[in-house]
């Protein structure tokens, strides 16, 4: 179905699919994510691959896939699909509709696949069901960008940064979501890895869109 459909880009139909998918990214930041991804995937030295760390149900993945499809690029989205700490029972973002009756655990994989099917992005988006650390161990090539939006504990954020930022090609981008300089606005781990990226000298800030940071690799 997706392979025979003409490119839709960020069509109204896809916007509706993204809106219906469970998730937490504001629409203005999602559009900025799409535009940033499209820009890096369209550069002359593009390798045609972008990586997302933290799929959940595929809301932000729709925007990435819509950026990749028109230029024939691929999006690899990595998630173990058992949810982050804040998605577990007793926490603020727990959704009982996403609990698998067989295991009794959160399982967002099927909802993600539904989102990609409805968005007609199954030929553009490759879902990698694995912990970020395990996937990083078998990864072996440069990418146009890495978008980090996984677990927000310090351990999870640090693992995502350590495992994946090194694969961003020179001139490519590291995108980090939920960066809040003011501790009163949100958790610290995404901000901490954002600061690490800048302090490393390998990345410079290209743009800011709400809590989304776009950093270009220079070294």
């Amino acid at each position: 179905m997706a392979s025979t459909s003409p490119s839709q880009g960020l069509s109204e139909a896809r916007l509706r699919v993204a809106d219906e998918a469970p998730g937490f990214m504001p629409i203005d930041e999602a559009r900025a994510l799409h535009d940033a991804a499209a820009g890096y995937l369209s550069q002359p030295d593009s390798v045609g691959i972008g990586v997302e760390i933290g799929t959940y149900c595929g809301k932000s993945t729709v925007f990435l896939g819509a950026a990749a499809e028109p230029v024939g690029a691929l999006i690899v989205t990595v998630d173990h699909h058992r949810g982050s700490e804040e998605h577990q029972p007793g926490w603020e973002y727990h959704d009982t509709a996403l609990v698998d009756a067989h295991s009794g655990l959160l399982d967002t994989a099927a909802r993600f696949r539904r989102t990609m099917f409805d968005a007609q992005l199954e030929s553009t988006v490759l879902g990698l069901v694995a912990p970020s650390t395990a996937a990083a161990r078998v990864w072996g090539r440069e990418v146009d960008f890495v978008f980090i939006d996984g677990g927000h504990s310090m351990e999870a954020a640090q693992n995502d940064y350590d495992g994946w930022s090194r694969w961003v090609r020179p001139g490519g981008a590291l995108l980090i979501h939920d960066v809040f300089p003011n501790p009163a606005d949100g958790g610290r781990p995404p901000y901490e890895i954002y600061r690490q990226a800048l302090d490393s000298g390998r990345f410079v800030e290209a743009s800011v869109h709400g809590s989304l940071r776009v950093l270009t690799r220079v070294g």
Side-chain angles (χ1 to χ4, degrees):
M1 171 176 172
S3 61
T4 59
S5 299
S7 172
Q8 297 183 38
L10 196 57
S11 64
E12 289 301 317
R14 283 184 173 158
L15 287 171
R16 286 194 297 273
V17 171
D19 182 61
E20 292 169 0
F24 313 100
M25 194 171 208
I27 185 62
D28 59 330
E29 294 180 10
R31 285 184 177 274
L33 176 68
H34 167 273
D35 293 348
Y40 287 98
L41 290 168
S42 300
Q43 290 179 345
D45 53 352
S46 167
V47 297
I49 299 175
V51 171
E52 175 183 47
I53 307 300
T55 313
Y56 197 53
C57 297
K59 181 184 288 289
S60 58
T61 321
V62 172
F63 291 86
L64 295 175
E69 185 192 50
V71 294
L74 296 174
I75 300 298
V76 178
T77 183
V78 181
D79 201 311
H80 49 60
H81 285 285
R82 294 300 189 193
S84 302
E85 183 180 62
E86 63 270 20
H87 301 138
Q88 304 310 316
W91 288 74
E92 181 180 1
Y93 297 109
H94 180 61
D95 186 345
T96 57
L98 297 174
V99 174
D100 172 39
H102 176 74
S103 65
L105 301 172
L106 197 77
D107 188 346
T108 56
R111 188 60 180 84
F112 156 67
R113 293 197 68 188
R114 170 180 157 182
T115 303
M116 293 304 100
F117 175 83
D118 289 348
Q120 298 187 29
L121 285 169
E122 291 184 303
S123 295
T124 298
V125 174
L126 287 65
L128 182 49
V129 183
S132 166
T133 49
R137 289 177 61 188
V138 299
W139 196 261
R141 60 175 300 167
E142 290 186 335
V143 300
D144 292 311
F145 65 82
V146 170
F147 171 48
I148 296 180
D149 193 21
H152 285 10
S153 68
M154 193 62 228
E155 180 181 11
Q158 191 69 61
N159 285 340
D160 292 343
Y161 175 74
D162 290 344
W164 290 95
S165 63
R166 62 195 178 106
W167 296 113
V168 176
R169 63 168 172 81
L174 177 65
L175 303 99
I176 307 175
H177 192 224
D178 290 333
V179 174
F180 298 107
N182 184 346
D185 295 332
R188 299 304 287 166
Y191 176 77
E192 294 296 336
I193 62 169
Y194 155 75
R195 287 304 323 171
Q196 287 180 43
L198 292 178
D199 293 343
S200 74
R202 295 185 299 133
F203 295 93
V204 296
E205 189 164 82
S207 57
V208 175
H209 310 276
S211 72
L212 176 68
R213 299 294 188 274
V214 180
L215 310 179
T216 297
R217 181 173 175 183
V218 295

